[in-house]
Amino acid sequence: MMKQLFPIRHVIGYIASLVLSAAALAVIYGDFSHAANIVILSVTALIQASLQLFLFMHIGESADTKKELYINLAYALFVGLVTIFGTLYIFVWGWYS
Amino acid sequence: MNFDIEKFKVHGEPLIYGAMISIALASIGIVVGLTVFKKWGWLWREWLTTVDHKRIGVMYILAALLMLFRGGIDALMMRLQTAAPEMKFLDAQHYNEVFTTHGLIMILFMAMPFIIGLMNVVVPLQIGARDVAFPRLNAVSFWLFFFGAMLLNISFVIGGSPDAGWSAYFPLASLEFSPTVGNNYYSLALQISGIGTLMTGVNFIVTILKMRAPGMKLMRMPMFTWSVLITNVIIVFAFPVLTVALALMMFDRLFGSQFFTMANGGMDMLWANLFWVWGHPEVYIVILPAFGIYSEIIATFSRKNLYGYTSMVASMLIISLLSFVVWAHHFYTMGQGVMVNSFFSISTMAIAVPTGVKIFNWLFTLRKGRISFTTPMLYSLAFIPIFTIGGVTGVMLAMASADYQYHNTMFLVAHFHYVLIPGAVFAVIAGFHYWFPKVFGFRLNERLGKHAFWWIIISFNVAFFPLFILGLMGMTRRMYTYSAETGFGPLNMISFAGALGLAIGFVILVYNIYWSTRYMPRDESGDPWDARTLEWATKSPIPEYNFAVVPNVKSRDPLWAMKYDKQPLFEDKITKIHMPSNTGKPFILGVVFFFLGFFLVFSMWIPAIVAGVGVLIVLAAMSFDRDHGFYIPADKVIKTEKKLGGGTV
Amino acid sequence: MKVDTSKPLEYSTQENSNRIFGFWVFLGAEIALFATLFTVFFVLVNRFAEGPSGSELFEVGPLLAETFLLLTSSFTIGLAVHAMRHQYKRAMLVFFGITLLMGLGFLGIEISEFVTYVHEGATLQTSGFLSSLFVLLGTHGAHVTFGFLWGAAIMIQLMREGINPATANKSFIFSLYWHFLDVVWIFIFSFVYLKGLM
């Protein structure tokens, strides 16, 4: 019964997400360079997001929509990242000075 | 809450009183008419509660036509005010309101709903489906759009219209510089209809990807359906940006936040940035479906299949991605560095390449075709050269350094009218003439249609070509008057004459609808143009279940293959058909959203909270609803098919 | 309505699997929405005007509590869907209930945080940075609030009707929504709070 209620994939995913959140705290308690901190945050956040997506949300489970879901996600990430980095490019990195 | 009746009043201007009276008279007229002819029940049962994609499409198009006239009257007022130096027809404030609402209405409440209306009517038919994926959500989309549009329209007589341009740049649109409620209307009306549009986007993506008839592979879809699919992908990813931008605007104006302010760490330019992150893809949202419409019409009336199908699809996909990486070309002069401008300059010019591919594909489709010059075909043929002028001047504007000269002049105004009018307006008119017989069972009169066409096409050029020259002479956009010494007078007068001509053209177009309704013979065939795609394979007017039998698609032009290659299309027997039942909740949701928006516009917090709770209650009621629709029995389907006659089943 | 028994209950009719697919598309739109809010935040993040900066404002304790609650609730809603697929109605309802309670706990902490900020003189009106902070967090919080109400409505339907194609479909879609909110929170946790505290 316990095994059926607590499937091992979910338990591992949950523990991993707690560990990754704790690991991200290194940026405030550790002593790394700014660049290293950003890398730590990006890596832990991305892995955690993937955990949710693949282990909990079962993005790949339905065969007849799998391809569409990945394209949808890729398009959303494209637009989101273009908006974030394009805007920063305009107002911060590429600003006339 | 401090209740102050003065806030609601708009003063001065006999024009505004005229508008108030005409709105009141029209409303009373509608109410009295419905009561006298006992049509309330009919209106509720057949239209307000409908979930039928065809009826929803028709309502979208009706609303769009109404808005076309509202926006058109705005345009006439603007052209009259600038027709001669020192005109006194409108004052500066009123002129600001008129050009702002003209832009908003034409883009968001005319072009968008017209296109969404056509996609509602046509797309499920083209893919051989019985309805869209989520019929009730579709009704929600329509009513949110409709009440958003109504909210914007009442601003003219209650409290004052938005007056900071359709792009509502900060700091001008801030509470400090635009103290009337006009821009509150802007943020809320657009927000409400924008949510509806986003839902349309989701709905049509699922419909096109999941509801196609057997055998209708992606690369067998008609080009209009392809263009709608890509358009809706852009809608889904671009509209959230507008949602956020409008929400932040509302926070700035209603709750004193510091997003776009000049002091306290706000950044006014961020608004322009967000607006165009949405705004440029929006241009393609209205133009891509137009490309699809032209592709259908040109292929049908050249009696050939579409040239370069694959490259058509590929170019639209490329446009959809590029449309998200060009937005800074709307504000080259804002202060970003040379590298930024160079990047956006190049990406903008790159869009001309896939667009050029499409133009050549249409030309090659025409080549050696047996062309019949029907009204929809005339619009399509006129589109090609006029749109090319718009496109080429767009490349001129794309060059950042040259743009410092053109920026915010009438040259820009001429450019985007040369793109949007052939690229969106001619397309929806062409599509309207083309699909009209499918929906209503009779054609529009060709002679009147051609009269309207020539008035519109010639007057369009008379109205807008002078603006290119005026722009190069130095006339900036949005100036409400000018002195005689500038020399702007004569060309502006010509432009006004063109605007009058356009108005005549549109009046003929509407008269044609009236005339054809009375006198045109019924089209029994269901396929009056000898067309190629599935929507023409069912009866006209379309029965509520669309297809008595779901078609089996085996090629790209299935109807053509059936007619001329004797390829069977409908192979199954007629069985009972499942249909979704009507519901009044989407309409009620729209009404509640309208009041929520209205109360927020006037900062009436307690009523706003009540309306907000009302929204949640309607949503909950929809969640608890268990309606599984109903079945139309097979014998009733057979009876309907016999009654509509002709056709191919 | 045609029921396909080879698939999980929540996918079993054409309409159900359309809904799930449609909701994924909607989540794509939500990604664009939150990306835009992050854009605004990143542009305004150093514009404090007279107000406090992130490092003066943020506290690690409540942050970790919020994170723990949301991560755990995302885990339990996953378990609820798993139980649903095995037709364990009771277990499903328990996990579902725990999820919503944790969501409520998260909201409680977030609201008390906001109250603290305001008491320290950091309001929506203070600076560009604070406006963008409040609206980014507030939008996420509003999503959680809406999720709580929505989830409660689904739980009532589950208790009334049991696990059937309609309720299973709604529950599954709700779980997607809830996991998505957790993903958004991870990015807020990393790039708003931790980066601010760096």
Side-chain angles (χ1 to χ4, degrees):
Chain A
M1 183 72 181
M2 280 308 276
K3 243 186 184 162
Q4 285 202 318
L5 285 181
F6 295 93
I8 191 78
R9 274 156 59 101
H10 284 245
V11 176
I12 289 175
Y14 174 55
I15 293 169
S17 66
L18 290 181
V19 170
L20 285 163
S21 303
L25 292 175
V27 302
I28 43 176
Y29 297 118
D31 186 21
F32 300 103
S33 70
H34 183 79
N37 278 338
I38 297 292
V39 172
I40 292 172
L41 289 180
S42 309
V43 170
T44 51
L46 279 178
I47 299 176
Q48 281 214 56
S50 320
L51 285 178
Q52 298 279 336
L53 210 57
F54 294 103
L55 289 185
F56 292 172
M57 294 168 89
H58 313 288
I59 184 171
E61 86 180 345
S62 172
D64 50 340
T65 54
K66 203 166 158 182
K67 204 172 66 192
E68 285 93 335
L69 292 189
Y70 284 124
I71 293 174
N72 176 52
L73 187 68
Y75 210 111
L77 290 177
F78 168 75
V79 172
L81 292 174
V82 159
T83 309
I84 293 174
F85 290 104
T87 304
L88 289 175
Y89 180 45
I90 293 169
F91 287 124
V92 183
W93 305 317
W95 193 250
Y96 181 78
S97 55
Chain B
M1 195 180 72
N2 51 341
F3 189 80
D4 182 5
I5 192 75
E6 283 303 309
K7 277 196 303 191
F8 296 99
K9 286 189 191 159
V10 180
H11 293 286
E13 292 301 318
L15 269 172
I16 293 178
Y17 295 130
M20 283 180 191
I21 292 166
S22 59
I23 288 176
L25 284 179
S27 316
I28 294 169
I30 291 169
V31 171
V32 169
L34 285 170
T35 312
V36 167
F37 294 106
K38 298 203 170 71
K39 289 287 188 190
W40 282 106
W42 165 81
L43 184 70
W44 178 258
R45 278 190 310 275
E46 303 281 314
W47 294 97
L48 302 189
T49 61
T50 187
V51 294
D52 183 336
H53 69 97
K54 302 168 288 285
R55 284 171 187 264
I56 289 174
V58 169
M59 290 194 290
Y60 265 117
I61 293 170
L62 267 177
L65 280 173
L66 278 177
M67 288 296 109
L68 177 71
F69 278 83
R70 159 80 214 263
I73 288 168
D74 284 345
L76 279 176
M77 294 201 289
M78 272 147 62
R79 284 286 110 215
L80 174 59
Q81 166 62 25
T82 50
E86 314 280 3
M87 283 284 276
K88 295 278 186 284
F89 175 61
L90 301 173
D91 62 20
Q93 170 63 23
H94 199 171
Y95 188 78
N96 292 347
E97 295 186 10
V98 169
F99 72 64
T100 302
T101 47
H102 169 75
L104 282 176
I105 284 178
M106 286 304 206
I107 299 267
L108 288 155
F109 300 126
M110 190 283 286
M112 291 281 290
F114 216 134
I115 280 161
I116 293 176
L118 287 175
M119 56 170 111
N120 260 294
V121 170
V122 176
V123 166
L125 295 170
Q126 280 199 334
I127 61 173
R130 293 244 157 86
D131 207 323
V132 294
F134 311 114
R136 289 170 173 231
L137 188 68
N138 203 19
V140 171
S141 288
F142 173 74
W143 290 112
L144 288 186
F145 148 74
F146 181 81
F147 283 104
M150 287 306 107
L151 190 60
L152 189 82
N153 273 285
I154 60 161
S155 69
F156 194 60
V157 289
I158 306 178
S161 290
D163 55 359
W166 89 281
S167 48
Y169 273 14
F170 279 79
L172 178 59
S174 67
L175 198 58
E176 190 183 352
F177 297 105
S178 296
T180 69
V181 293
N183 283 291
N184 298 354
Y185 273 114
Y186 179 104
S187 65
L188 287 151
L190 266 58
Q191 188 71 283
I192 292 170
S193 67
I195 296 168
T197 308
L198 182 63
M199 296 299 130
T200 302
V202 174
N203 207 341
F204 275 84
I205 290 176
V206 180
T207 304
I208 294 173
L209 291 180
K210 293 286 149 221
M211 306 280 285
R212 299 193 304 277
M216 173 76 76
K217 297 179 185 147
L218 279 178
M219 291 309 270
R220 280 181 187 166
M221 292 196 314
M223 197 48 61
F224 179 63
T225 301
W226 256 115
S227 71
V228 168
L229 173 63
I230 294 169
T231 300
N232 282 295
V233 170
I234 305 181
I235 286 179
V236 163
F237 296 111
F239 265 75
V241 182
L242 179 71
T243 304
V244 170
L246 292 170
L248 304 187
M249 179 190 208
M250 183 189 81
F251 276 109
D252 262 17
R253 292 187 54 90
L254 295 182
F255 306 113
S257 60
Q258 308 285 352
F259 289 105
F260 309 127
T261 51
M262 303 289 279
N264 298 323
M267 192 183 203
D268 51 344
M269 291 175 290
L270 188 56
W271 164 267
N273 183 72
L274 293 181
F275 183 84
W276 289 113
V277 170
W278 161 78
H280 202 83
E282 165 70 12
V283 174
Y284 287 93
I285 291 170
V286 294
I287 282 184
L288 283 182
F291 289 172
I293 294 170
Y294 290 133
S295 299
E296 300 294 337
I297 292 174
I298 289 176
T300 299
F301 295 112
S302 302
R303 304 184 62 73
K304 281 175 66 188
N305 57 347
L306 189 65
Y307 184 88
Y309 180 94
T310 318
S311 64
M312 282 291 206
V313 174
S315 59
M316 284 196 291
L317 285 170
I318 293 168
I319 288 174
S320 83
L321 289 172
L322 282 178
S323 73
F324 281 98
V325 293
V326 299
W327 77 90
H329 70 216
H330 292 271
F331 45 81
Y332 281 139
T333 57
M334 209 164 70
Q336 63 271 29
V338 179
M339 277 308 287
V340 177
N341 276 357
S342 308
F343 174 86
F344 284 99
S345 208
I346 291 166
S347 61
T348 304
M349 287 186 232
I351 285 202
V353 177
T355 316
V357 168
K358 300 189 76 73
I359 298 268
F360 281 108
N361 279 335
W362 289 314
L363 293 177
F364 279 116
T365 307
L366 289 165
R367 185 170 172 268
K368 290 191 174 173
R370 271 179 294 145
I371 298 173
S372 43
F373 293 93
T374 57
T375 310
M377 187 61 166
L378 285 175
Y379 282 103
S380 309
L381 293 174
F383 150 80
I384 297 174
I386 297 177
F387 184 79
T388 305
I389 296 176
V392 170
T393 50
V395 178
M396 287 169 73
L397 286 157
M399 290 180 267
S401 40
D403 182 67
Y404 269 69
Q405 196 65 27
Y406 308 128
H407 190 81
N408 263 359
T409 64
M410 293 307 262
F411 187 86
L412 169 79
V413 176
H415 154 69
F416 68 68
H417 283 92
Y418 261 82
V419 174
L420 283 171
I421 292 185
V425 181
F426 290 178
V428 292
I429 298 173
F432 181 77
H433 282 82
Y434 182 62
W435 283 302
F436 190 90
K438 181 81 302 195
V439 178
F440 294 103
F442 57 90
R443 277 194 261 192
L444 291 171
N445 180 277
E446 278 289 309
R447 221 173 66 89
L448 282 170
K450 284 176 187 166
H451 268 294
F453 165 79
W454 287 110
W455 274 100
I456 289 173
I457 231 73
I458 293 170
S459 311
F460 164 78
N461 285 291
V462 175
F464 292 101
F465 200 83
L467 303 190
F468 280 125
I469 305 167
L470 280 168
L472 295 178
M473 284 165 71
M475 182 176 179
T476 57
R477 70 196 287 203
R478 294 169 178 166
M479 54 197 285
Y480 90 105
T481 193
Y482 50 87
S483 66
E485 291 80 66
T486 56
F488 298 156
L491 285 170
N492 273 304
M493 185 54 89
I494 293 174
S495 173
F496 174 60
L500 284 178
L502 270 172
I504 293 169
F506 282 109
V507 169
I508 299 175
L509 199 156
V510 170
Y511 175 71
N512 191 7
I513 300 173
Y514 162 79
W515 191 91
S516 305
T517 310
R518 293 202 58 173
Y519 301 113
M520 284 300 276
R522 171 127 153 59
D523 162 53
E524 298 275 343
S525 67
D527 179 24
W529 310 114
D530 193 11
R532 319 177 67 84
T533 41
L534 276 184
E535 73 269 33
W536 305 101
T538 182
K539 318 280 182 199
S540 331
I542 316 149
E544 58 174 330
Y545 46 78
N546 290 357
F547 296 95
V549 173
V550 175
N552 257 322
V553 180
K554 297 185 192 70
S555 62
R556 208 171 261 170
D557 291 311
L559 182 61
W560 193 263
M562 186 187 92
K563 286 187 290 194
Y564 297 100
D565 302 336
K566 303 286 169 241
Q567 202 178 71
L569 187 56
F570 299 101
E571 292 161 306
D572 301 332
K573 269 212 176 89
I574 292 181
T575 51
K576 64 179 180 174
I577 295 173
H578 182 254
M579 299 295 295
S581 22
N582 286 358
T583 166
K585 294 190 186 80
F587 176 77
I588 295 167
L589 187 67
V591 173
V592 181
F593 256 108
F594 175 86
F595 282 105
L596 175 63
F598 184 82
F599 294 139
L600 283 175
V601 165
F602 289 96
S603 309
M604 295 155 71
W605 306 123
I606 292 163
I609 290 167
V610 173
V613 173
V615 167
L616 291 177
I617 291 172
V618 182
L619 289 180
M622 287 171 120
S623 171
F624 279 89
D625 219 355
R626 287 289 181 280
D627 191 302
H628 298 296
F630 63 96
Y631 282 94
I632 306 177
D635 53 335
K636 203 175 158 205
V637 175
I638 294 168
K639 234 171 91 187
T640 313
E641 290 289 303
K642 278 210 182 106
K643 199 181 98 201
L644 289 169
T648 40
V649 179
Chain C
M1 217 167 292
K2 242 194 301 212
V3 177
D4 182 350
T5 47
S6 68
K7 289 180 178 164
L9 207 53
E10 65 269 23
Y11 284 97
S12 57
T13 63
Q14 158 101 47
E15 198 190 342
N16 273 355
S17 82
N18 281 352
R19 277 169 195 252
I20 292 172
F21 178 57
F23 198 77
W24 272 103
V25 175
F26 174 72
L27 287 184
E30 288 274 59
I31 291 177
L33 182 115
F34 279 102
T36 312
L37 285 167
F38 273 105
T39 304
V40 172
F41 180 78
F42 290 146
V43 170
L44 300 178
V45 67
N46 291 319
R47 295 168 164 256
F48 309 122
E50 307 291 305
S53 70
S55 55
E56 292 163 21
L57 216 53
F58 301 150
E59 287 172 69
V60 178
L63 170 65
L64 291 183
E66 285 173 294
T67 308
F68 177 76
L69 282 174
L70 265 200
L71 286 178
T72 311
S73 74
S74 183
F75 174 56
T76 53
I77 195 70
L79 295 179
V81 167
H82 190 79
M84 177 182 89
R85 288 189 173 175
H86 289 84
Q87 295 285 341
Y88 297 143
K89 185 182 161 195
R90 285 261 315 271
M92 181 197 180
L93 282 171
V94 170
F95 285 133
F96 210 130
I98 294 173
T99 305
L100 294 186
L101 287 179
M102 289 197 169
L104 211 55
F106 169 86
L107 283 172
I109 301 175
E110 186 162 57
I111 290 167
S112 81
E113 281 286 272
F114 279 15
V115 172
T116 319
Y117 294 168
V118 171
H119 275 297
E120 290 170 14
T123 67
L124 183 74
Q125 293 89 356
T126 310
S127 66
F129 161 68
L130 285 170
S131 296
S132 63
L133 178 76
F134 276 113
V135 171
L136 173 55
L137 297 180
T139 307
H140 177 265
H143 274 75
V144 175
T145 313
F146 181 78
F148 176 80
L149 297 173
W150 181 21
I154 293 173
M155 272 189 79
I156 295 172
Q157 294 170 32
L158 274 168
M159 284 188 260
R160 274 195 198 163
E161 303 172 21
I163 300 172
N164 61 29
T167 53
N169 185 248
K170 282 165 191 270
S171 307
F172 183 77
I173 289 172
F174 175 78
S175 81
L176 291 181
Y177 179 78
W178 201 262
H179 291 310
F180 174 77
L181 293 186
D182 197 40
V183 173
V184 174
W185 180 258
I186 289 161
F187 284 91
I188 291 177
F189 169 75
S190 304
F191 292 102
V192 174
Y193 283 104
L194 293 187
K195 191 164 169 289
L197 284 165
M198 240 158 58

